[in-house]
Amino acid sequence: MSKKPPVAKKEEPAATAPVTAAEEGAPAPVKKVEKGKRVKKHKEEKGVHAMYKIEGDKISRARPTCERCGPGYFMADHHDRYTCGHCGFTRYKQK
Ligand SMILES: [Zn+2]
């Protein structure tokens, strides 16, 4: 490795052309992180609109209302029961 070919220096300007072509195929290692690539998990939207189902002209409630608190208080839908977040009333689902 002691030999230093002076020819290599002369080839530099000529070598720039193929380098640019290679850059197109394989991008240079740049520490750029694409911010828009973060995948957002679409969670199930929650809100009062989720408690109602509109069927034509009629509206139906997807969850029962609390018997203790009255209409307006929806009960949370659990796998085996409904619970009221307002008063804690629990009603088990009948099978
Ligand atoms: Zn309640």
Side-chain angles (χ1 to χ4, degrees):
M1 287 295 262
S2 55
K3 265 191 186 177
K4 257 191 179 181
V7 187
K9 246 193 180 180
K10 272 186 187 177
E11 267 178 31
E12 241 176 78
T16 42
V19 165
T20 44
E23 263 180 51
E24 275 178 60
V30 186
K31 278 189 183 175
K32 229 184 196 177
V33 180
E34 280 180 59
K35 275 186 181 177
K37 265 208 168 178
R38 197 197 266 180
V39 183
K40 247 190 184 177
K41 254 194 178 178
H42 201 78
K43 256 194 168 181
E44 200 181 314
E45 270 188 62
K46 281 175 184 173
V48 282
H49 67 277
M51 305 292 177
Y52 296 97
K53 272 184 184 172
I54 300 160
E55 289 156 1
D57 298 339
K58 284 185 180 178
I59 199 162
S60 65
R61 285 156 183 86
R63 312 221 199 305
T65 54
C66 180
E67 293 166 27
R68 215 184 276 173
C69 301
Y73 288 93
F74 287 101
M75 299 181 81
D77 188 9
H78 294 279
H79 65 282
D80 62 338
R81 68 202 187 276
Y82 294 107
T83 56
C84 173
H86 188 71
C87 66
F89 179 75
T90 306
R91 198 175 75 195
Y92 285 88
K93 289 178 186 175
Q94 288 130 0
K95 272 190 178 178

